[in-house]
Amino acid sequence: MSRKQKLVVLTGAGVSAESGLDTFRDSGGLWGKYDPQVVASIDGWHRNKRLMIDFYNDLRVGLKDKKPNKAHLLIAQLEEKYNVTVITQNVDNLHERAGSTRIIHLHGELTKVRPEVGEYDRTFSEKEVIDIGYGTIDLGDLAPNGSQLRPHIVWFGESVPQIERAIEEVEQADIMLIVGTSLQVYPAAGLYRYADPHIPIYIIDPKDVAICDGRINHIKAVASEGMETFIREIEKN
Ligand code: APR
């Protein structure tokens, strides 16, 4: 039994677009309607917790009736032939619901909350994270350690705790696939630079991509169609 090739898939909001979830920077995207510094930054949280609790409550409740699309499902099915790790910038749970089993959420998870102040210091430990599904929290809802519950989201101005783990995955990849991200937010956008210089990198995006690197194979299509093209491509090799 030969070793399965390691496929690392970096996804962004574009992979969930066909599920009806807004992207951030496309026309009509979330950051066209809201200022991310107001609704998605640690400074915004200290300025107006009520506004941010309501913003994420609305997104979380709205996630309940969204479904994984064909792109999520094809990524999950690739686990049959490849050793797949999904590194996602998305906070939705659509990769999980499509059946992917190894997922790193670089920017947190919408269905989870955690104490505002961790037990040991200002950081939190994974065991303090609480899954509330599609429920809501309110100002005054406290964690077991007595501090205000907050969304388990990485906001602008906060560190990305999972980035070292993500870098290790990319360094070991035999193939890298990037789906539906504008590659404008670091450190996620710089992950592809950690890939072995000899491995193929595919990018699925209907728009032109921001990076020019000789290894990049740009599949100019929406995620669901692009995934079918990608699978045909790698099965040729
Ligand atoms: N299929 C594939 N890609 C698509 C589709 C689609 N149907 N529709 C749009 N796209 C592409 C866009 O062309 C764009 O390149 O998806 C990308 C979406 O880019 P952004 O809206 O910037 O989303 P993303 O790259 O995930 O943002 C990264 O920024 O605000 C932070 O934390 C937030 O995780 C987010 C991060």
Side-chain angles (χ1 to χ4, degrees):
M1 179 75 162
S2 64
R3 174 182 81 87
K4 282 184 181 178
Q5 281 200 300
K6 185 173 180 58
L7 168 64
V8 174
V9 188
L10 172 66
T11 65
V15 80
S16 298
E18 290 163 271
S19 297
L21 282 169
D22 284 340
T23 61
F24 292 97
R25 295 172 184 83
D26 287 314
S27 58
L30 216 49
W31 297 156
K33 301 170 195 159
Y34 301 94
D35 175 353
Q37 290 310 317
V38 171
V39 296
S41 75
I42 185 61
D43 293 340
W45 174 252
H46 292 309
R47 265 199 308 272
N48 191 337
K49 294 180 185 177
R50 151 71 58 217
L51 186 144
M52 282 180 65
I53 282 175
D54 291 346
F55 179 74
Y56 284 95
N57 279 345
D58 291 349
L59 289 179
R60 189 178 310 107
V61 169
L63 179 57
K64 184 173 186 178
D65 66 4
K66 301 293 187 298
K67 302 270 180 297
N69 65 62
K70 190 162 68 175
H72 295 107
L73 295 168
L74 289 174
I75 289 168
Q77 285 162 21
L78 280 168
E79 293 190 9
E80 290 159 23
K81 294 185 180 169
Y82 298 87
N83 168 13
V84 181
T85 298
V86 175
I87 300 171
T88 187
Q89 299 170 88
N90 300 340
V91 295
D92 64 54
N93 59 357
L94 299 179
H95 282 303
E96 285 84 352
R97 288 162 60 191
S100 288
T101 60
R102 265 176 70 79
I103 303 166
I104 297 174
H105 278 276
L106 285 180
H107 296 164
E109 298 179 68
L110 197 48
T111 56
K112 297 180 179 174
V113 293
R114 71 168 194 256
E116 181 182 17
V117 178
E119 201 141 348
Y120 306 105
D121 54 27
R122 292 206 63 77
T123 57
F124 63 95
S125 66
E126 278 307 314
K127 69 178 176 44
E128 294 177 294
V129 175
I130 303 165
D131 191 328
I132 60 168
Y134 306 106
T136 59
I137 56 172
D138 206 345
L139 213 49
D141 288 351
L142 303 183
N145 72 6
S147 74
Q148 170 66 46
L149 282 174
R150 60 160 274 182
H152 182 48
I153 302 286
V154 177
W155 286 324
F156 288 106
E158 294 190 302
S159 64
V160 179
Q162 302 283 346
I163 193 65
E164 284 78 16
R165 198 175 143 217
I167 288 170
E168 283 167 22
E169 291 290 335
V170 172
E171 286 173 336
Q172 296 159 28
D174 298 309
I175 308 170
M176 185 169 186
L177 169 63
I178 300 171
V179 189
T181 173
S182 61
L183 293 169
Q184 288 184 35
V185 174
Y186 286 80
L191 274 173
Y192 77 95
R193 296 195 187 114
Y194 290 90
D196 180 299
H198 304 296
I199 72 159
I201 301 180
Y202 295 82
I203 297 188
I204 297 173
D205 197 310
K207 293 207 194 83
D208 290 334
V209 294
I211 51 178
C212 49
D213 176 313
R215 296 171 289 168
I216 304 286
N217 305 278
H218 180 199
I219 300 171
K220 197 162 181 153
V222 292
S224 56
E225 291 162 23
M227 279 307 302
E228 289 175 331
T229 305
F230 169 72
I231 291 166
R232 282 196 301 275
E233 282 291 306
I234 57 172
E235 284 179 351
K236 271 189 242 169
N237 305 338

